[in-house]
Amino acid sequence: MTGEPASRGPLEGLCIVDASTLFAGPLTAMHLGDMGADVVKVEHPRRPDPARGHGAAKDGHNLWSKTLGRNKRSMTLDLSSSGGQEVFRRLAAGADVVIENFRPDTLERWDLGYDRLSAENPGLVLARLTGFGQIGPYRRRPGFGTLAEAMSGFAAMTGEPDGPPTLPPFGLADGIASLAAAYAVMTALHARQTTGRGQVVDLAIVEPILAMLGPQLTQWDQLGTVQPRTGNRSVNNAPRNTYQCADGRWVAVSTSSQNIAERVMRLVGRPDVVDEPWFATGTGRVAHADELDAAVAAWVAARTRDEVVAEFEKAEAAVAPIYDASDIAADAQFEALGTVLRVDDPDLGEVAMQNVLFRLSDTPGRVRFAGRGHGADTDDVLAELGYDEVDVRALRESGVV
């Protein structure tokens, strides 16, 4: 596989085969592609990645796929066919990483398991992302981020105290899993420098989000207590909530540190509480959250959002306006960071999307192109693998690609 001739980023020279669908796996490949890896997205010829049908579309072009598929070349391949398996083995033989999220044993049934692939390419890293991992009684259950959000404890602790467990309105568990998987892949590639061999990454989507949820397991183990739902409040500090301004807009306030909590309460006209013994700790403030929230809410309600933010900034207290996408696109800080990127696209002309996750001073990543159409690069990839026009025509006629 080859990429574009210009320098693409710190992972230039790495070849990634993205044989996964929906979100955790494709996001992992996207992160690696953003840093310069050459990513080939493999999809079934007649059943494309279901993500292409999720969310909004414009002029028949799925918008989510423009981000999820960015920096990836797209090819089609029927892995359940013998011809497709042969093409895939050639593809994997020249790759550094294969990412897949089929149910356990599926690759093995197709004679594409790690033993077979690594026999031809000992340095290959195979990243396997499933809901519940490759072992255990749930290994073959369908696994989606929603199930991980439920079983990790996230939903149980999210929502209003008198309301139901609450799920996020986006792929939170998948997104967290993709960051963990990218980290795992790079860890395995680093280990390869010493051992000379690749290895299997077994990532259960339920585990990374569980790891992010703080000390809930330790608290249960040591105290026998389960973290309750507290709405926008925190069990660790107060005041911490969302508050509506006089103009109908909203802000969020955080007081994780003691000095910030003191500044907030002085700003809103309640300096008296700062000297109370209970105010000296986050848990002490949580016990008086009603009183603290009421003071902050009344002060905020008397001012516009811009006034609130300006006064908090002057007091060096922590506040943030609650944004939607239109606010993000217009924000001066995001503009300074280059967080929102506009990418030229042959289908839509120009597409706004989030930029790469972080900035490197010497070898930055970048978005080279938006997501491409289903199978747009099939012929080019096959040619790189040594298939001539006659071979490609035969593969198409047989339905392999």
Side-chain angles (χ1 to χ4, degrees):
M1 292 183 288
T2 61
E4 296 178 354
S7 177
R8 301 192 310 273
L11 298 187
E12 183 173 5
L14 284 181
C15 299
I16 314 292
V17 177
D18 176 13
S20 61
T21 57
L22 292 171
F23 308 114
L27 280 168
T28 302
M30 185 198 79
H31 296 316
L32 299 172
D34 285 353
M35 291 296 121
D38 177 23
V39 180
V40 173
K41 168 77 172 180
V42 175
E43 299 175 71
H44 193 280
R46 293 163 295 282
R47 296 188 299 277
D49 185 338
R52 291 187 182 273
H54 281 239
K58 180 181 178 183
D59 299 334
H61 300 288
N62 178 265
L63 299 182
W64 201 347
S65 293
K66 291 298 179 183
T67 299
L68 194 61
R70 71 190 192 188
N71 292 335
K72 301 178 186 180
R73 297 189 289 160
S74 174
M75 76 172 298
T76 59
L77 197 58
D78 182 358
L79 299 183
S80 67
S81 68
S82 59
Q85 292 155 13
E86 171 58 30
V87 174
F88 191 81
R89 282 191 286 269
R90 281 205 208 182
L91 197 59
D96 296 285
V97 181
V98 169
I99 301 171
E100 64 97 5
N101 69 336
F102 298 104
R103 291 198 197 183
D105 303 327
T106 300
L107 285 187
E108 286 73 12
R109 190 173 71 248
W110 292 336
D111 196 23
L112 297 174
Y114 189 68
D115 288 347
R116 177 64 188 273
L117 298 181
S118 63
E120 300 179 32
N121 180 0
L124 182 69
V125 171
L126 176 62
R128 316 192 78 167
L129 282 66
T130 57
F132 303 104
Q134 297 295 310
I135 59 175
Y138 302 159
R139 62 190 292 269
R140 293 192 57 78
R141 285 186 181 181
F144 298 104
T146 297
L147 309 188
E149 289 145 11
M151 291 182 66
S152 65
F154 173 86
M157 66 170 66
T158 304
E160 294 299 324
D162 57 350
T166 303
L167 297 166
F170 65 101
L172 177 62
D174 284 295
I176 295 173
S178 75
L179 297 174
Y183 164 51
V185 164
M186 296 311 300
T187 301
L189 290 173
H190 180 74
R192 186 177 71 175
Q193 296 179 6
T194 301
T195 66
R197 293 192 58 83
Q199 57 187 296
V200 176
V201 172
D202 175 11
L203 186 140
I205 294 172
V206 70
E207 290 184 302
I209 186 172
L210 173 58
M212 296 297 105
L213 292 180
Q216 60 164 334
L217 279 174
T218 306
Q219 178 180 318
W220 170 81
D221 176 68
Q222 296 296 306
L223 302 176
T225 58
V226 174
Q227 183 169 323
R229 289 191 288 281
T230 58
N232 288 320
R233 287 183 174 178
S234 170
V235 297
N236 301 309
N237 62 81
R240 190 264 199 179
N241 214 324
T242 60
Y243 307 92
Q244 190 169 28
C245 307
D247 54 4
R249 296 178 175 181
W250 292 78
V251 295
V253 172
S254 175
T255 57
S256 294
S257 67
Q258 183 66 25
N259 62 343
I260 295 293
E262 294 175 4
R263 291 172 190 168
V264 168
M265 296 318 297
R266 290 191 177 104
L267 174 63
V268 302
R270 288 297 306 275
D272 54 299
V273 298
V274 173
D275 296 324
E276 294 287 347
W278 52 262
F279 196 87
T281 65
T283 53
R285 297 197 303 274
V286 168
H288 294 78
D290 287 344
E291 179 182 0
L292 300 177
D293 258 349
V296 176
W299 186 90
V300 169
R303 293 160 177 81
T304 67
R305 188 180 74 178
D306 289 348
E307 291 170 340
V308 170
V309 171
E311 290 298 313
F312 264 73
E313 188 169 319
K314 189 185 303 181
E316 297 184 350
V319 71
I322 292 179
Y323 278 176
D324 60 23
S326 64
D327 297 311
I328 293 168
D331 183 83
Q333 180 62 30
F334 287 134
E335 180 179 2
L337 293 172
T339 305
V340 179
L341 184 69
R342 293 193 172 275
V343 181
D344 289 332
D345 180 73
D347 298 321
L348 299 173
E350 189 178 69
V351 181
M353 63 181 66
Q354 302 94 320
N355 208 337
V356 299
L357 287 175
F358 49 84
R359 287 158 294 281
L360 294 177
S361 60
D362 294 338
T363 56
R366 65 188 179 96
V367 179
R368 304 183 301 281
F369 51 86
R372 292 177 173 171
H374 179 227
D377 303 286
T378 299
D379 288 0
D380 289 342
V381 175
L382 289 172
E384 291 168 13
L385 295 175
Y387 291 92
D388 61 24
E389 292 183 6
V390 175
D391 297 327
V392 173
R393 189 179 309 114
L395 290 171
R396 289 195 179 280
E397 290 173 353
S398 64
V400 170
V401 298

